[in-house]
Amino acid sequence: METQSLWEHTLTFFPQFLASVTEHAPDDATIAVVGASDGKFVLPLAAAGYRVLAIERDPFALHGGEVSLPGDITARAMGLVDRLKLEALYGRVQVLEEDFLQTGTRQAKCDAVWTSCSWHYSANHRRPLADFVSRMQSLVRPGGLFGAEFMMPTEQRHIGIEHYTSPEKLRRHFTDDWRVLLTLRTNEFIEPAHVGQLQDHTHRMGLLLATRTSQ
Protein backbone atom coordinates (compact mmCIF):
# COMPACT_ATOMS: atom_id res chain seq x y z
CA MET A 1 0.00 0.00 0.00
CA GLU A 2 1.04 3.60 -0.56
CA THR A 3 0.03 4.68 2.94
CA GLN A 4 0.66 3.37 6.46
CA SER A 5 -1.40 3.42 9.62
CA LEU A 6 0.03 5.23 12.64
CA TRP A 7 -0.42 1.88 14.42
CA GLU A 8 1.21 -0.22 11.71
CA HIS A 9 3.94 -1.68 13.89
CA THR A 10 1.99 -2.37 17.10
CA LEU A 11 1.47 -6.01 18.08
CA THR A 12 -1.78 -7.60 16.89
CA PHE A 13 -3.60 -10.94 16.65
CA PHE A 14 -5.27 -9.74 13.45
CA PRO A 15 -3.64 -12.49 11.31
CA GLN A 16 -5.48 -15.12 13.39
CA PHE A 17 -8.76 -13.27 12.88
CA LEU A 18 -8.17 -12.96 9.14
CA ALA A 19 -7.41 -16.69 8.90
CA SER A 20 -10.72 -17.43 10.64
CA VAL A 21 -12.57 -15.08 8.28
CA THR A 22 -11.05 -16.95 5.34
CA GLU A 23 -12.22 -20.25 6.85
CA HIS A 24 -15.70 -19.29 8.05
CA ALA A 25 -16.93 -16.34 5.94
CA PRO A 26 -17.92 -16.12 2.26
CA ASP A 27 -15.57 -14.49 -0.23
CA ASP A 28 -17.82 -11.41 -0.44
CA ALA A 29 -18.33 -11.14 3.31
CA THR A 30 -19.26 -7.90 5.06
CA ILE A 31 -17.02 -7.27 8.07
CA ALA A 32 -17.58 -4.62 10.74
CA VAL A 33 -14.56 -3.02 12.38
CA VAL A 34 -15.50 -1.35 15.67
CA GLY A 35 -13.02 1.39 16.49
CA ALA A 36 -11.73 1.59 12.93
CA SER A 37 -9.11 4.26 13.76
CA ASP A 38 -7.09 5.27 10.69
CA GLY A 39 -7.63 1.94 8.96
CA LYS A 40 -4.92 -0.45 10.18
CA PHE A 41 -7.41 -3.31 9.81
CA VAL A 42 -10.00 -1.73 7.51
CA LEU A 43 -7.68 -1.32 4.53
CA PRO A 44 -6.29 -4.89 4.50
CA LEU A 45 -9.83 -6.29 4.70
CA ALA A 46 -11.04 -4.08 1.85
CA ALA A 47 -7.93 -4.89 -0.21
CA ALA A 48 -8.67 -8.61 0.30
CA GLY A 49 -12.05 -8.09 -1.40
CA TYR A 50 -14.35 -7.87 1.62
CA ARG A 51 -16.98 -5.18 2.16
CA VAL A 52 -16.19 -3.30 5.37
CA LEU A 53 -18.33 -1.35 7.82
CA ALA A 54 -15.89 0.99 9.60
CA ILE A 55 -17.28 2.43 12.86
CA GLU A 56 -15.26 5.28 14.39
CA ARG A 57 -16.19 8.42 16.34
CA ASP A 58 -12.81 10.21 16.51
CA PRO A 59 -12.59 13.00 13.90
CA PHE A 60 -8.79 12.86 13.96
CA ALA A 61 -8.76 9.14 13.14
CA LEU A 62 -11.24 9.68 10.33
CA HIS A 63 -9.92 12.89 8.80
CA GLY A 64 -6.32 13.22 9.99
CA GLY A 65 -4.40 16.13 11.45
CA GLU A 66 -1.24 17.08 13.29
CA VAL A 67 0.19 14.43 15.60
CA SER A 68 3.10 14.08 18.05
CA LEU A 69 5.42 11.15 17.36
CA PRO A 70 8.27 9.58 19.36
CA GLY A 71 11.50 11.56 19.15
CA ASP A 72 9.76 14.92 19.68
CA ILE A 73 8.52 14.86 16.08
CA THR A 74 5.37 16.60 14.87
CA ALA A 75 3.84 15.36 11.65
CA ARG A 76 0.68 15.54 9.59
CA ALA A 77 -1.17 12.21 9.79
CA MET A 78 -3.60 10.95 7.18
CA GLY A 79 -7.03 9.82 8.37
CA LEU A 80 -9.07 6.79 7.36
CA VAL A 81 -11.15 8.56 4.69
CA ASP A 82 -8.18 9.96 2.78
CA ARG A 83 -6.27 6.69 3.06
CA LEU A 84 -9.20 4.79 1.56
CA LYS A 85 -9.47 7.26 -1.31
CA LEU A 86 -5.74 7.24 -2.03
CA GLU A 87 -5.67 3.42 -2.05
CA ALA A 88 -8.79 3.29 -4.29
CA LEU A 89 -10.68 1.32 -1.63
CA TYR A 90 -13.31 3.89 -0.61
CA GLY A 91 -16.03 2.15 -2.61
CA ARG A 92 -15.66 -1.04 -0.57
CA VAL A 93 -16.01 0.64 2.84
CA GLN A 94 -18.99 2.24 4.56
CA VAL A 95 -17.69 4.69 7.16
CA LEU A 96 -19.97 5.38 10.13
CA GLU A 97 -18.86 8.37 12.19
CA GLU A 98 -20.64 7.58 15.43
CA ASP A 99 -20.18 6.48 19.03
CA PHE A 100 -20.72 2.73 18.90
CA LEU A 101 -21.67 2.50 22.58
CA GLN A 102 -24.02 5.46 22.46
CA THR A 103 -26.01 4.76 19.31
CA GLY A 104 -24.98 1.33 18.09
CA THR A 105 -25.78 0.74 14.43
CA ARG A 106 -28.89 -0.02 12.47
CA GLN A 107 -27.02 -1.87 9.73
CA ALA A 108 -27.88 -5.36 8.56
CA LYS A 109 -26.02 -8.15 10.31
CA CYS A 110 -22.47 -8.79 9.20
CA ASP A 111 -20.51 -11.95 8.46
CA ALA A 112 -17.82 -10.95 10.97
CA VAL A 113 -17.01 -8.23 13.49
CA TRP A 114 -13.59 -7.18 14.82
CA THR A 115 -12.27 -4.78 17.41
CA SER A 116 -8.73 -4.10 18.57
CA CYS A 117 -7.96 -2.87 22.08
CA SER A 118 -10.89 -0.46 22.14
CA TRP A 119 -12.41 -1.55 25.45
CA HIS A 120 -9.60 -0.27 27.66
CA TYR A 121 -9.91 3.37 26.57
CA SER A 122 -11.20 5.36 29.53
CA ALA A 123 -13.99 6.93 27.44
CA ASN A 124 -15.54 3.46 27.18
CA HIS A 125 -15.41 2.71 30.90
CA ARG A 126 -18.68 4.55 31.54
CA ARG A 127 -20.55 1.51 30.25
CA PRO A 128 -20.13 -2.10 31.41
CA LEU A 129 -17.95 -4.31 29.24
CA ALA A 130 -20.99 -6.55 28.74
CA ASP A 131 -22.71 -3.69 26.86
CA PHE A 132 -19.80 -3.39 24.44
CA VAL A 133 -19.62 -7.15 23.87
CA SER A 134 -23.37 -7.59 23.40
CA ARG A 135 -23.56 -4.71 20.90
CA MET A 136 -20.80 -6.31 18.90
CA GLN A 137 -22.52 -9.69 19.09
CA SER A 138 -25.75 -8.14 17.82
CA LEU A 139 -23.98 -7.28 14.54
CA VAL A 140 -23.08 -10.90 13.80
CA ARG A 141 -25.36 -13.07 11.67
CA PRO A 142 -25.87 -16.79 12.47
CA GLY A 143 -22.71 -18.60 11.41
CA GLY A 144 -20.77 -15.34 11.59
CA LEU A 145 -17.53 -14.60 13.39
CA PHE A 146 -16.73 -12.44 16.43
CA GLY A 147 -13.12 -11.36 16.96
CA ALA A 148 -11.62 -9.15 19.65
CA GLU A 149 -8.12 -8.47 20.89
CA PHE A 150 -7.89 -6.66 24.21
CA MET A 151 -5.56 -5.39 26.89
CA MET A 152 -5.05 -7.51 30.00
CA PRO A 153 -3.99 -6.09 33.40
CA THR A 154 -0.33 -5.18 33.83
CA GLU A 155 -0.62 -2.63 36.66
CA GLN A 156 -2.46 -2.63 39.97
CA ARG A 157 -4.77 0.15 38.75
CA HIS A 158 -6.01 -2.17 35.98
CA ILE A 159 -7.21 -4.88 38.36
CA GLY A 160 -10.42 -3.07 39.31
CA ILE A 161 -11.31 -2.14 35.73
CA GLU A 162 -13.28 -4.92 34.06
CA HIS A 163 -12.36 -3.63 30.61
CA TYR A 164 -8.84 -4.98 31.17
CA THR A 165 -10.08 -8.53 30.92
CA SER A 166 -8.83 -12.06 30.18
CA PRO A 167 -9.90 -14.84 27.81
CA GLU A 168 -11.41 -16.77 30.76
CA LYS A 169 -13.53 -13.84 31.94
CA LEU A 170 -14.59 -12.97 28.42
CA ARG A 171 -15.83 -16.52 27.80
CA ARG A 172 -18.75 -15.82 30.17
CA HIS A 173 -20.33 -13.70 27.45
CA PHE A 174 -20.21 -16.53 24.88
CA THR A 175 -22.74 -19.16 25.93
CA ASP A 176 -25.90 -20.66 24.37
CA ASP A 177 -25.71 -19.62 20.70
CA TRP A 178 -21.95 -19.01 20.63
CA ARG A 179 -18.98 -21.34 20.24
CA VAL A 180 -15.52 -20.12 21.19
CA LEU A 181 -13.02 -21.08 18.49
CA LEU A 182 -9.76 -19.73 19.88
CA THR A 183 -8.32 -17.84 22.81
CA LEU A 184 -4.75 -16.58 23.05
CA ARG A 185 -2.73 -14.42 25.40
CA THR A 186 0.70 -12.90 25.57
CA ASN A 187 3.09 -12.62 28.48
CA GLU A 188 4.02 -9.09 29.44
CA PHE A 189 6.07 -7.46 26.70
CA ILE A 190 7.64 -4.08 26.09
CA GLU A 191 6.17 -2.24 23.12
CA PRO A 192 8.24 0.55 21.56
CA ALA A 193 6.96 4.11 21.76
CA HIS A 194 4.24 5.08 19.30
CA VAL A 195 1.60 7.76 18.82
CA GLY A 196 -0.32 8.26 22.06
CA GLN A 197 2.41 6.49 24.05
CA LEU A 198 5.63 8.40 23.44
CA GLN A 199 7.74 6.20 25.74
CA ASP A 200 8.37 2.46 25.65
CA HIS A 201 5.64 0.76 27.69
CA THR A 202 4.50 -2.64 28.96
CA HIS A 203 1.47 -4.48 27.60
CA ARG A 204 -0.25 -7.81 27.94
CA MET A 205 -2.85 -8.80 25.37
CA GLY A 206 -5.52 -11.42 24.81
CA LEU A 207 -7.61 -12.68 21.90
CA LEU A 208 -11.00 -14.35 21.61
CA LEU A 209 -12.57 -15.67 18.42
CA ALA A 210 -16.09 -17.12 18.45
CA THR A 211 -18.76 -18.10 15.96
CA ARG A 212 -22.50 -17.62 16.30
CA THR A 213 -24.26 -20.97 16.06
CA SER A 214 -27.91 -19.82 15.93
CA GLN A 215 -30.27 -16.82 15.70
Side-chain angles (χ1 to χ4, degrees):
M1 290 188 180
E2 296 184 37
T3 64
Q4 272 200 336
S5 166
L6 287 171
W7 312 96
E8 200 70 40
H9 301 296
T10 55
L11 181 70
T12 180
F13 288 116
F14 182 70
Q16 285 84 353
F17 171 74
L18 189 55
S20 290
V21 168
T22 303
E23 180 180 355
H24 293 278
D27 293 341
D28 61 347
T30 296
I31 302 173
V33 178
V34 178
S37 189
D38 67 354
K40 177 178 179 177
F41 309 109
V42 172
L43 271 73
L45 289 168
Y50 299 113
R51 295 185 297 271
V52 185
L53 177 64
I55 305 171
E56 177 58 61
R57 69 179 180 183
D58 182 5
F60 172 80
L62 290 169
H63 305 293
E66 196 170 89
V67 62
S68 296
L69 299 174
D72 199 26
I73 298 171
T74 300
R76 174 81 184 178
M78 189 175 295
L80 171 63
V81 173
D82 285 341
R83 289 191 68 212
L84 288 170
K85 291 178 179 178
L86 186 61
E87 303 288 355
L89 295 170
Y90 191 75
R92 301 202 63 83
V93 179
Q94 180 183 1
V95 178
L96 290 184
E97 188 170 356
E98 63 177 34
D99 184 336
F100 179 69
L101 280 177
Q102 187 67 34
T103 63
T105 178
R106 293 165 293 283
Q107 301 299 310
K109 292 187 182 297
C110 300
D111 299 286
V113 62
W114 169 255
T115 197
S116 173
C117 299
S118 54
W119 301 336
H120 72 282
Y121 285 108
S122 58
N124 292 329
H125 293 178
R126 69 186 187 277
R127 296 280 293 275
L129 177 58
D131 286 2
F132 206 122
V133 175
S134 63
R135 280 183 182 266
M136 283 184 60
Q137 289 173 330
S138 71
L139 291 179
V140 182
R141 66 164 180 80
L145 184 70
F146 178 109
E149 60 183 9
F150 44 87
M151 294 298 182
M152 297 176 63
T154 57
E155 302 176 26
Q156 186 61 39
R157 65 186 178 88
H158 297 156
I159 301 299
I161 303 174
E162 65 169 347
H163 301 73
Y164 289 85
T165 188
S166 69
E168 291 80 14
K169 291 179 179 178
L170 199 57
R171 273 181 175 269
R172 303 170 189 170
H173 303 284
F174 293 86
T175 58
D176 301 328
D177 58 346
W178 289 92
R179 178 168 62 93
V180 174
L181 301 174
L182 177 68
T183 61
L184 294 173
R185 74 187 65 229
T186 69
N187 295 322
E188 289 189 6
F189 64 95
I190 296 176
E191 187 162 72
H194 55 72
V195 61
Q197 283 276 17
L198 300 181
Q199 305 295 327
D200 291 357
H201 47 284
T202 302
H203 279 325
R204 190 170 170 229
M205 290 173 60
L207 168 77
L208 185 141
L209 300 178
T211 186
R212 186 169 209 145
T213 58
S214 62
Q215 192 72 33

